[in-house]
Amino acid sequence: KAGVTQTPRYLIKTRGQQVTLSCSPISGHRSVSWYQQTPGQGLQFLFEYFSETQRNKGNFPGRFSGRQFSNSRSEMNVSTLELGDSALYLCASSSPQRGLAGAPGEQFFGPGTRLTVL
Amino acid sequence: AQSVTQLDSHVSVSEGTPVLLRCNYSSSYSPSLFWYVQHPNKGLQLLLKYTSAATLVKGINGFEAEFKKSETSFHLTKPSAHMSDAAEYFCVVSGGGGYNKLIFGAGTRLAVHP
């Protein structure tokens, strides 16, 4: 199976602009989660989508949003970019873990999109 | 609320010597715990996971971890380090509720010297 793919791999934007990042999950995976990785804050959960619905959200401002399409592909959008939004944005997909009700499935991570805000 | 604390930000070992990366967790219920590894300019890879089955968990590349409830620890070990083990390692706890919210520790950078 092909892994999780993220596009683009690198982006450079200026303050005030907006950006859209894309994530294609592993075939058959219906859950897509997004994470932000920065040197100062580490890895932080942004949100999770399952069957086109956001079912969990981290502690980020409303400038960060996302959506999921019927084919499970997901996009995240950041509006009014700030310098502090410079980060590696990681996407992960998973499917439910069989036999353990409520247990999280293994998450498979993509290579990330490195966003630089100037 | 769930959280993890990685006790060392940097660990340096010689090739062929044991590796110990320490992690303590805090959880209001029986947690799901993971170790992930991140090599430079690469995504995260799952090393191993604990989900209330056996307390000693074996992972890939010779790594293993032991869940100790009494000590709220989930330390990662490997008997003999290899140069290719040099990377950043993250201890992770599931946010719970069956959802895929992972809470990451700050990471431990492992250096392996010849």
Side-chain angles (χ1 to χ4, degrees):
Chain A
K1 275 186 180 178
V4 178
T5 57
Q6 293 187 246
T7 56
R9 292 292 311 278
Y10 300 91
L11 264 179
I12 300 176
K13 293 286 187 178
T14 56
R15 279 180 297 174
Q17 288 186 310
Q18 76 166 21
V19 67
T20 299
L21 313 182
S22 180
C23 172
S24 292
I26 291 171
S27 178
H29 287 189
R30 295 164 62 192
S31 167
V32 174
S33 301
W34 288 89
Y35 295 82
Q36 181 196 64
Q37 185 176 23
T38 60
Q41 299 299 316
L43 274 149
Q44 294 183 287
F45 173 80
L46 279 156
F47 30 64
E48 182 207 3
Y49 285 86
F50 182 83
S51 293
E52 302 179 63
T53 301
Q54 184 184 91
R55 68 175 181 180
N56 214 341
K57 190 177 188 306
N59 191 23
F60 278 81
R63 298 185 299 107
F64 292 82
S65 63
R67 60 178 174 168
Q68 187 179 33
F69 302 95
S70 58
N71 62 357
S72 294
R73 189 178 71 85
S74 177
E75 290 182 345
M76 68 163 281
N77 184 277
V78 188
S79 63
T80 319
L81 284 166
E82 301 177 359
L83 295 179
D85 297 334
S86 293
L88 180 66
Y89 290 88
L90 293 163
C91 160
S93 76
S94 70
S95 59
Q97 185 168 358
R98 287 194 295 265
L100 286 173
E106 176 180 344
Q107 292 199 40
F108 294 84
F109 283 82
T113 294
R114 184 160 302 277
L115 171 66
T116 302
V117 182
L118 303 175
Chain B
Q2 287 67 249
S3 67
V4 288
T5 302
Q6 293 184 244
L7 301 175
D8 307 290
S9 58
H10 291 83
V11 170
S12 181
V13 301
S14 298
E15 191 175 22
T17 64
V19 175
L20 170 63
L21 305 183
R22 299 181 296 163
C23 172
N24 286 350
Y25 71 89
S26 173
S27 179
S28 52
Y29 51 84
S30 184
S32 294
L33 292 161
F34 310 80
W35 276 97
Y36 279 84
V37 62
Q38 187 176 36
H39 290 276
N41 300 315
K42 291 194 175 180
L44 291 156
Q45 182 184 21
L46 179 68
L47 279 177
L48 49 81
K49 61 183 176 183
Y50 166 78
T51 53
S52 75
T55 56
L56 182 62
V57 183
K58 293 189 184 299
I60 62 171
N61 300 334
F63 285 95
E64 63 180 39
E66 186 171 8
F67 174 74
K68 290 187 176 180
K69 186 176 180 180
S70 61
E71 299 176 10
T72 61
S73 68
F74 190 58
H75 301 334
L76 181 71
T77 60
K78 182 174 180 177
S80 176
H82 191 272
M83 296 295 290
S84 61
D85 294 329
E88 184 136 27
Y89 292 79
F90 295 94
C91 182
V92 182
V93 64
S94 169
Y99 299 145
N100 291 308
K101 176 181 179 180
L102 298 182
I103 298 166
F104 284 77
T108 297
R109 184 163 296 279
L110 175 66
V112 182
H113 302 288

